[in-house]
Amino acid sequence: GEQSSTNTPGKTTDKEETKTEEQKTETTETATESGGTIKIGVLASLTGALESYGKQTQKGFELGLEYATGGTMEVAGKKIEIVYEDTETKPEVAVQKATKLLEDDKVDFLVGSSSSGDTLAVLPLAEEYEKIMIVEPAVADSITGSEFNPYIFRTARNSSQDAYAAAAAIAGEGVKIATFAPDYSFGWDGVSAFKDAALALGAEIVAEEYAPADATDFTSNLQKIIDSKPDYLFVVWAGANSPWGQINDMKLQENGIKVSTGAPDIPALKTMGQLVGMEGFSVYYHTLPDNPINDWLVDEHKKRHNGEVPDLFTPGGFAAAMAIVTALEKSGGDADGNKLIPLMEGMSFETPKGTMTFRPEDHQALQPLYSVTLQEVDGFDYPVPVLIRELSPSETEPPIRN
Amino acid sequence: MDLIISLVINGLATGMLIFLLASGLTLIFGLMHVLNFAHGGLFVWGAYAGVFSYAYSGSFIVGIIVAILTGLVFGFITEKLIITPVYGNLVQQILITLGFMLVLQEMIKVVFGPNVVAVKVPELLAGSWQLGDIIIIKYRIFIIFFGFIIFGLLHYMLTRTKIGLIVRAGVMNSDMVQALGINIKRIFLVVFMTGSALAALAGMLFAPYSGAIYAELGMEFAIMAFIVVVIGGMGSFQGSLFAAILVGLAGSFMAYYVPYLSLAVNMIIMVVVLIFRPQGLFTTAKG
Amino acid sequence: MNKPILLSRSNIILFIIVLALVAFPFVMDSRTLTILVTQILIFGILAMSYDILLGYTGIVSFGHAMFFGIGAYCTAIMLSDFESTIGVFIVSIIVGMLIAGILSFIVGLLTLRLKSHFFAMLTMAISGLLLVVAEKWRSVTKGNDGFTFKAPEVFKDRVIFYLVVLALLVIVFIVLKRFVSSPLGRVLIAVRENEQRTKSLGFKTLYYKVIASVVAGVIAALAGSLYAVSLRFVNTSVLTMEITLDALLMTIIGGVGTLIGPLVGSVVIESAQHYLSGLARDFPIFERWIIFFGIIYILAVIFFPKGIVGTIQTKYSQWKIKRNQLDVAPLSKSKESSK
Amino acid sequence: MEPIIRTENLSISFGGHKAVDRVNFEMPEKHFKSIIGPNGAGKTTFFNLISGELKNTEGDVFFKGKSIANLSSVERTRLGLGRSFQITNVFPNLTVLENVRLAVQSKEKIRFNPFKHYLHYKKITEEALTILEQVLLENKAHHIASQLAHGEKRKLEIAMLLALDTEVLMLDEPTAGMSLEEVPAILDVIKSIKNRGDKTILLIEHKMDMILDLSDSIMVLFNGKLLADGTPKEIMDNTTVQNAYLGGLYDDELVET
Amino acid sequence: MTSLLKLDNVNTHIGQYHILQGVHFEAKEGEVSVLLGRNGAGKTTTLKTIIGLTPASGGSVTFLNQDITKKATYDIANLGIGYVPEDQGIFGDLTVEENIKVAMRKETDESKEKLEYVLNLFPDLKKFWKKAGGNLSGGQKQMLAMSRAFVNDSRLLLIDEPSKGLAPIVIEKVMEAIVEMKKQTTIVLVEQNFIMASKIGDSFTLIDDGKTVRNGAMKELIEDDELKHKYLGIG
Ligand SMILES: Nc1ncnc2c1ncn2[C@@H]1O[C@H](COP(=O)(O)OP(=O)(O)OP(=O)(O)O)[C@@H](O)[C@H]1O
Ligand SMILES: Nc1ncnc2c1ncn2[C@@H]1O[C@H](COP(=O)(O)OP(=O)(O)OP(=O)(O)O)[C@@H](O)[C@H]1O
Ligand SMILES: [Mg+2]
Ligand SMILES: [Mg+2]
């Protein structure tokens, strides 16, 4: 029976009544139907190399739920419960854990995860169980592209959006650009999307360099880039063995090559000391968005996590929570995947980064991104991304590929 | 020409860095035949302990000393607790050292936090010289220099003292060595600690080179070090140095001239070397 | 001396275990557990194949993942490019095993002349090269991101898939058991013990090593195929060193050269991982559960130096000797007979 | 009659050192020949060259008239050249029985059958046990080879060779380290094989009494070169051999035996 | 003469096996004591127990009035006990030179002199000075193993079957060397070659089934045909 929509959103007292009443009658039914709870399973890398990303998502998601529910942790009269699972950045573990969430915990939503591989492995489960999965913060285009299924909604930006933001920041008529990226999907996707966008804006790509993701010596690649005499070097990089020191040592900027990249999270910004003055883009830095939600996020985050500010993927977790709560409010607490899909397609919701909208075609959230420059700021031991301008969601709208 | 020179210098520096990484393993794996997967853990511990004391004291030298001490202490603990029960047993070595590696790696996060840690090159060694079109990064020259010093010291230790001989003899037949009045356990301990200290030192020297360190660093570099020790010929210091420089130079030139192969360069070198010289480039056994 | 009796005590125990495993999904109605156990069985197959190399032939390979990966990719690609039917699934398994067989044959010929450490590193390099190929050949593999595909309709029911995997595991176990206790298997053991001596008894050891490597490769490919179907997803992680290390660790923890050991190893490692990371959710001290996981390895070496099964076997036979001879030294008999 | 083994200028050098130096030798079928010579004379190396453990650098070696210089040791064993090793060379972690069983298995040419259980080949096990009895090792059949005392390992070494049952048996110091009490027993085993008359036997030994007892002929190697080859009496009377090899130790003892 | 080494009711287990079950004997200063017995009797194990490689589980080993039963092997060796194992214990990958270098405790004039002496005795070693020990012939390995023990200044030498695999003429040399060593060193010898044993031995200990069955002066044994026959199968 799918009669759970009879639950009316209401005040606490109403809800209390419904609950007791239902407990009498339908004690053995599933969680949703017993009226009490909405369960959300969050998959994230809580150990291993992507641990800090996973924890950002986790913190953001908690705060997001709290904000969205006004601190009650209830929506449409239902209590929200969260179950976290560690994917260990291994697809087989992700599948195991996702199945556990869906089967044993009987969650109504999945959220996750920190790696594209894990996420891709879990996508079919969402479809099989007909549960909504909010993808956050995995970026691979294929999640909302070739591997798309209708239960997937992504609050994270995808690689193409990054690339458009990057192109918007530096590309222009006649501008010569070299690219540098790690030699695997993430790098190739990023560069190829960037190329499309930059070429469309009239720029010229003069060199495309890839280095092994675990390389330590980038000087040969940089040498080639210098040889190609670009105006800009666009870098796609993730991972800790960053090329920044060597870019500085090889005097690219002194040779008139401006460097551009996406601003990473704060620990990684610390490794970019030499890139002060760089122009690039940012997905999030806590001072960039100017809206009350972000203010609340920053304040609360500091309060709870001994003075730390939210970082790169914290607002993503937050946004995922906002999306779920907004959708549930619309459905009146009905977590049935098939009913939610039409409600969520085209749905807009508020996040610390401003308003996001799930594009109906591929369920990718269109969202603001930021053109920034890195600057030295007193009291910070890392170069701070300073806003040049906010890129509106439509400016970075990626092609539909599903 | 300029290009060649700068590729050579950079390749040489990378090679020397790899040699530093591998030097400890040449002792532990090459000479003592301990397949120590936890080697990378010692490398990362050296890096973290060194970097944090460098940051705290402001002195790079303090950082280096702390790294070495960390290596010695960890080497002592590792040998006593982990390695002693499994000398001569390859299968057990794999299991126990991999387990210990996990422990070391996670303990880094407990002690130093899970985030990437940024490391600056010390003032004196920062920046680069530009000579015409050639750019020479100062820190790399420092690494090359340091690498040769370490090589010299080890070479001395192994050729001028009996330690190298005793270790090789002890691996072949430890009972006989003891019957000759040598406390082989203590020698193994000392050599293992030296190897660990070298790993830790390499970690510390690596940190400013790459600009950032993180807990998972260890495993990646341990594998690189294993490659170098094996293609150099087990237990041969000259071999390790040669192989490391070969890997460094090949990486540097391949990245420039045949970039699409650079992902595979180490593997290709290893395949080629081992197919044509199945015992590695240099061998210690004479006759 | 253990005689090859069909109804020996250990065979009966095994039979009971299999029965229990068959009954398990019907008793424990939990899909998560079913998936976990399926996973355990699949890695068990992989680890058994590794045991043929390590335990029986004395070869340490760091490249076993390449065969696993080939199986996984074969099945994934064929199921996504053609229809996802049982027929295609079976064909894909066979194709995967064939390719793995051919590759392991070539790799074996190329590498098996090398001595232990050198061999290990060479296999690692070759499998590393294959990983690079998979990364680069994106039109087929989708690289590191990987791709999802549909499993054959019947496997939607995880219990059916579980039973299929279980059946395959039993078949593989019986076949391998027979294989290692055949005359051929005895020669493999001889190679492990003293290769040069085996040669001078008139056995061409390279042949035997290649045979072992092909058998191991083919079975690993089967495990890979099953793995891909269990996830309905594949990416380059199936070719990484981690898979090899998993197989290696399971084999060692369980006990090399026992065949049943690797299965036990798979149970221990997979469930330790599962339950420890589960603990992390409930108890903050276990946030760093990987430390405890690492400690398990260390303790395993200390308490089970020959692996769990190996050590128990040794203890058991020692206990039997003690019981039978009541501390009679082995010397005592010799006096009379040598007169 | 065509000699079963023949060498032509058979040589090998290690670096600059010629360990076996242009040796021409003929071994008639079903003959018993001993090889003596000082330590390092090249006796074991000569065995290695014939059995294929080492490849000659010069010259040629023939088995039944065909050159076998390019065959591997495996192939030579299969042709019928079996040998034991001077340095004990067994399967250390297998039982004594298992060691011998493997040799019998090879003799029976059961190599690749992957489907039948090895214990179903009852005959093999029985044969292995018989051989262990011959060398007085049956009471250690189920001991692990590495736990044997030295002399017992030597017996195992012989057992493995006997199990191979090759046409030619090459024994490299079979009784070195064997106790005085047991040497005669092994001697008896060798003698009985000799008396069966179907084997060609090459023996390296330093125990002169034993050699004199068994040999049809004796050949002497010295510095890699063939110094002499002849009947036991010829060799014993050869003063060069006495000076180079025998010394004075056996002077008085020889008379007794 | 005082006894340098004394074994009193020594029992040794290897794993679960009870190998030595009561070995007694004394080695008197300056004498050559010979251990005799059939294969597997426990002679080698007795030597290994003295040097601490298979420590005794019962009874006591006394050397220079010190109890060394529980001492570590290297400590025992450093008290001045040299050991020539029956499998020679050559380090195969090390050259002859390196093998000797590892063994040489101190490089004194005296030790150099001794080295000179053994190299003259075994010229093959000099010839193959830079050759890997593993590539030596069986007899050459035996020579190397002896030399390794000879170059040190030992109070006591444990030698396990030195004549094994040696040419008769070399056996003479080895005997000569042992006689030479005897001037400074006490020797415990395991030997199957009864001719050699009887020529250089001063006293004997018969071991059977892990127990001492008889101790005495060598002369007694030579004369006691029954004993010889019973335990050594000769006479
Ligand atoms: N590691 C071991 N484990 C079990 N038994 C052993 C071990 N080493 C020796 N033995 C047994 O102990 C007994 C005595 O061995 P030992 O080597 O001392 O004999 P030995 O008198 O030196 O004989 P040989 O003259 O053959 O050298 C033998 O029966 C042997 O099988
Ligand atoms: N693999 C090898 N490499 C180098 N030299 C070798 C090798 N094998 C043997 N030799 C040398 O060749 C010579 C002959 O050795 P071989 O083992 O044949 O002597 P042998 O006559 O058997 O002596 P023994 O009676 O001592 O066993 C020796 O000088 C030895 O050092
Ligand atoms: Mg010889
Ligand atoms: Mg002995």
Side-chain angles (χ1 to χ4, degrees), chain D residues 148-151 177, chain E residues 38-45 47 86-87 160-161 164 190 192:
Chain D
L148 295 181
H150 180 83
Chain E
R38 56 165 70 97
N39 288 134
K43 306 177 294 294
T44 299
T45 308
L47 293 195
E86 73 178 338
D87 65 357
D160 203 345
E161 297 198 36
K164 168 181 45 97
V190 172
Q192 301 281 12

Side-chain angles (χ1 to χ4, degrees), chain A residues 374-395:
Chain A
L374 292 185
Q375 282 181 11
E376 239 170 286
V377 175
D378 276 348
F380 290 87
D381 58 349
Y382 56 87
V384 174
V386 174
L387 190 65
I388 299 177
R389 79 187 173 88
E390 186 173 306
L391 303 165
S392 72
S394 59
E395 269 179 281

Side-chain angles (χ1 to χ4, degrees), chain E residues 67-180:
Chain E
D67 184 7
I68 59 166
T69 322
K70 297 267 177 299
K71 274 197 157 58
T73 299
Y74 53 89
D75 279 335
I76 297 173
N78 282 331
L79 291 173
I81 302 185
Y83 177 48
V84 182
E86 73 178 338
D87 65 357
Q88 298 129 351
I90 301 299
F91 308 118
D93 291 349
L94 267 49
T95 62
V96 171
E97 176 186 19
E98 289 168 337
N99 265 284
I100 290 186
K101 205 164 149 193
V102 169
M104 213 184 265
R105 262 171 231 158
K106 276 183 284 246
E107 265 187 70
T108 59
D109 286 345
E110 198 191 351
S111 70
K112 278 187 197 138
E113 222 169 81
K114 281 187 173 157
L115 182 59
E116 197 64 18
Y117 172 78
V118 291
L119 289 185
N120 282 333
L121 199 65
F122 306 125
D124 273 12
L125 295 184
K126 212 171 2 186
K127 192 161 140 205
F128 298 121
W129 195 233
K130 296 278 181 194
K131 186 177 227 168
N135 287 340
L136 294 176
S137 85
Q140 289 164 345
K141 281 190 183 131
Q142 190 66 50
M143 299 174 200
L144 177 55
M146 300 276 284
S147 311
R148 263 195 331 207
F150 280 5
V151 292
N152 286 321
D153 192 14
S154 305
R155 292 295 300 267
L156 175 70
L157 268 180
L158 311 174
I159 310 179
D160 203 345
E161 297 198 36
S163 75
K164 168 181 45 97
L166 292 181
I169 195 165
V170 184
I171 295 182
E172 280 177 36
K173 288 192 190 175
V174 170
M175 281 167 61
E176 190 188 305
I178 290 176
V179 172
E180 173 73 26

Side-chain angles (χ1 to χ4, degrees), chain B residues 249-262:
Chain B
L249 286 177
S252 167
F253 278 83
M254 292 278 248
Y256 194 90
Y257 290 107
V258 231
Y260 60 93
L261 281 184
S262 62

Side-chain angles (χ1 to χ4, degrees), chain D residues 39 173 179-182 248-249, chain E residues 38-39 161 165 167 172 192:
Chain D
N39 297 113
E173 302 199 28
S179 72
L180 288 177
E181 178 196 37
E182 282 171 323
L249 182 69
Chain E
R38 56 165 70 97
N39 288 134
E161 297 198 36
E172 280 177 36
Q192 301 281 12

Side-chain angles (χ1 to χ4, degrees), chain D residues 38-45 86-87 172-173 204 206, chain E residues 136-139 165:
Chain D
N39 297 113
K43 304 179 293 296
T44 301
T45 310
Q86 179 176 11
I87 305 286
D172 197 348
E173 302 199 28
I204 298 178
H206 290 297
Chain E
L136 294 176
S137 85

Side-chain angles (χ1 to χ4, degrees), chain C residues 148-213:
Chain C
T148 57
F149 57 90
K150 288 220 163 29
E153 200 57 35
V154 264
F155 292 159
K156 281 265 154 63
D157 187 344
R158 296 267 174 181
V159 174
I160 293 184
F161 183 64
Y162 165 84
L163 291 174
V164 168
V165 173
L166 178 62
L168 285 172
L169 176 112
V170 171
I171 293 170
V172 167
F173 178 79
I174 292 172
V175 168
L176 289 184
K177 192 81 199 167
R178 203 5 77 97
F179 176 72
V180 298
S181 50
S182 73
L184 177 79
R186 304 314 286 181
V187 181
L188 292 184
I189 292 175
V191 170
R192 175 188 78 192
E193 290 300 320
N194 185 344
E195 184 177 351
Q196 182 258 343
R197 184 54 170 160
T198 315
K199 275 189 196 160
S200 63
L201 286 184
F203 297 106
K204 294 192 171 155
T205 55
L206 184 64
Y207 289 7
Y208 293 88
K209 291 202 284 184
V210 170
I211 289 174
S213 127

